[in-house]
Amino acid sequence: MESPEPSSSSPVLLNIGGKKYATTVETLTQREPDSMLAAMFSGRHTLPQHPITGKGMVFVDRDGKHFRHVLNWLRDGAIPVLSESDYQQLLREAEYYQLLGLADYINERLGWKKADSLEAELTRKDVIKSIQAQRVRFRGVNLSGLDLSKLDLSEVDFSYACIKNTDFSCANLYKAKFGQVEALSSSFQNANLRECEFIGANLQESILDGANLRSANLQDACLTRCSFIETDLHSAHLQTANLTQANLRGANLEAANLKGAKLSGTNLQDANLQRAYLREVDLRDTQLTGAKLGGANLLGAIR
C-alpha cells in the first residue's frame, strides 16, 4: 500500500535508533534524489512506525549518533571537520542511506588525511635511477625523510613536493625547482643551490648552513627559524620572505633583494649586506652587530 505523496514542506519526525530528529520532506529528498531517504519519503512506500512512539514518527533501526551530520549534509551540503574514526562511521551511514554525494565527500576527506601521513613514495635507489633520465620531475611527490645527500640533482623539478625532514646535504641542486614545496626541518647543509627556485616554499626550521644560494629565488618563502650560517646568498631574491628568527650569522647577502622581508628576531651578525636592497624592511628587532651595510639601500627601512 502506498502512502499519500507528502508535501515538500511537510514536517517529518524521525526516530533513528532512539534519537529523535525533526526535518522536512524537502530536506530528505532534494539534495540526493536517488538515495534511500528520498525513496522513503517519495510517497511510494509505507513508512515504518516505532511500536512505542507510534504513528507520526518514522523509525529507522540505525545508530542515531551521526544522523545529525547526515541532515546537515542534506540541508547545506557540508559537514564539520571530524576525526578519522568519526568519518569512517559516518561513511557507513552514508552508504546505508545510499547518499553517494556524502560518501564521495567523506572518501575525499579521508584521502587527504591519508596523503598527509604517507611515508615517502620512493626510495633513495628509486631517485638515483630516475635522475639518470634526461628530464627529471618529482612534482607533488612525497620524498619525506629520504637521504638524498651528495646526489647530483641539478635542474630536477621538485615543485609542490613534500620533502619534510629530507637530507639534501652536499647535494648538487643547481637550478632545481622547489616552488611551493613543504620542506619543514630539511637539511641543505653545504648543498649547491645556485639559481634554485624556492618561490612560496615552506622551509621552516631547515638547515642551509654553508649552502651556495647565489641568485636563488626565495621570494615569499617561509624561512622562519631557518639556519643560514655562513651561507652564500649573493644576489638572492628574498622579497617578502619570512625570515623571522632565522640565523644568518656571517652570511653573504651582498646585492640580495630583501624588500619587504620579515626580519623580526633575525640574526644578521657579521653578515655581508653591502649593496643589499633593504627598502621597507623593519630592522628594529634585527641583530646587526658587525654587519656590513656599505651601499645598502635602506630607503623606507625602520631602524
Side-chain angles (χ1 to χ4, degrees), residues 124-292:
R124 179 182 171 90
K125 187 180 290 186
D126 293 330
V127 172
I128 292 172
K129 288 180 181 177
S130 297
I131 61 180
Q132 294 170 354
Q134 187 173 4
R135 188 176 183 183
V136 187
R137 290 184 178 182
F138 293 116
R139 290 174 68 91
V141 177
N142 189 344
L143 301 172
S144 295
L146 288 188
D147 178 6
L148 302 179
S149 60
K150 302 179 182 178
L151 295 180
D152 185 356
L153 298 164
S154 54
E155 300 188 48
V156 172
D157 189 351
F158 294 96
S159 302
Y160 304 100
C162 184
I163 50 174
K164 297 176 183 177
N165 299 296
T166 302
D167 186 3
F168 289 99
S169 59
C170 300
N172 179 14
L173 291 154
Y174 172 67
K175 284 190 174 181
K177 294 183 178 180
F178 292 93
Q180 303 291 332
V181 296
E182 285 292 330
L184 183 71
S185 301
S186 288
S187 175
F188 295 89
Q189 190 167 8
N190 296 316
N192 179 14
L193 294 160
R194 184 166 183 152
E195 296 181 40
C196 277
E197 179 188 305
F198 285 95
I199 298 173
N202 181 9
L203 291 163
Q204 187 174 352
E205 298 181 354
S206 290
I207 299 172
L208 298 101
D209 297 345
N212 179 357
L213 279 155
R214 281 186 164 239
S215 302
N217 192 341
L218 296 112
Q219 187 171 347
D220 297 320
C222 179
L223 306 170
T224 57
R225 294 188 294 279
C226 282
S227 183
F228 291 92
I229 297 174
E230 298 183 0
T231 299
D232 190 352
L233 287 151
H234 190 289
S235 302
H237 301 273
L238 290 152
Q239 299 97 304
T240 63
N242 188 349
L243 285 153
T244 302
Q245 295 182 8
N247 188 354
L248 290 100
R249 180 171 53 81
N252 179 18
L253 288 150
E254 185 174 351
N257 189 342
L258 291 113
K259 182 180 179 181
K262 295 180 181 178
L263 298 173
S264 178
T266 305
N267 184 359
L268 286 165
Q269 291 181 355
D270 300 317
N272 179 8
L273 289 159
Q274 295 180 96
R275 299 188 298 111
Y277 197 82
L278 291 159
R279 293 186 66 169
E280 302 171 20
V281 173
D282 189 342
L283 296 169
R284 287 176 296 182
D285 296 321
T286 306
Q287 300 177 49
L288 289 164
T289 306
K292 298 175 183 177

Side-chain angles (χ1 to χ4, degrees), residues 24-188:
T24 65
V25 171
E26 183 179 19
T27 295
L28 296 169
T29 59
Q30 294 300 305
R31 186 172 297 279
E32 303 236 21
D34 297 321
S35 70
M36 187 185 82
L37 288 170
M40 284 175 64
F41 292 92
S42 65
R44 301 192 302 269
H45 306 283
T46 301
L47 301 175
Q49 307 291 326
H50 193 280
I52 298 175
T53 56
K55 189 175 180 180
M57 183 168 286
V58 178
F59 177 72
V60 182
D61 188 16
R62 296 294 294 178
D63 187 345
K65 175 183 176 183
H66 294 296
F67 194 74
R68 63 190 179 94
H69 297 313
V70 170
L71 284 180
N72 286 334
W73 169 260
L74 292 173
R75 289 167 179 146
D76 307 316
I79 56 175
V81 176
L82 305 172
S83 67
E84 186 166 340
S85 62
D86 281 343
Y87 273 132
Q88 290 170 344
Q89 292 175 44
L90 182 56
L91 180 60
R92 286 196 292 272
E93 299 306 302
E95 291 171 344
Y96 174 80
Y97 294 114
Q98 299 170 26
L99 298 165
L100 302 183
L102 177 56
D104 288 345
Y105 178 88
I106 297 168
N107 280 320
E108 188 176 2
R109 296 305 297 261
L110 286 171
W112 289 343
K113 287 177 177 289
K114 289 174 183 175
D116 288 343
S117 61
L118 280 176
E119 295 181 357
E121 298 171 56
L122 301 174
T123 64
R124 179 182 171 90
K125 187 180 290 186
D126 293 330
V127 172
I128 292 172
K129 288 180 181 177
S130 297
I131 61 180
Q132 294 170 354
Q134 187 173 4
R135 188 176 183 183
V136 187
R137 290 184 178 182
F138 293 116
R139 290 174 68 91
V141 177
N142 189 344
L143 301 172
S144 295
L146 288 188
D147 178 6
L148 302 179
S149 60
K150 302 179 182 178
L151 295 180
D152 185 356
L153 298 164
S154 54
E155 300 188 48
V156 172
D157 189 351
F158 294 96
S159 302
Y160 304 100
C162 184
I163 50 174
K164 297 176 183 177
N165 299 296
T166 302
D167 186 3
F168 289 99
S169 59
C170 300
N172 179 14
L173 291 154
Y174 172 67
K175 284 190 174 181
K177 294 183 178 180
F178 292 93
Q180 303 291 332
V181 296
E182 285 292 330
L184 183 71
S185 301
S186 288
S187 175
F188 295 89

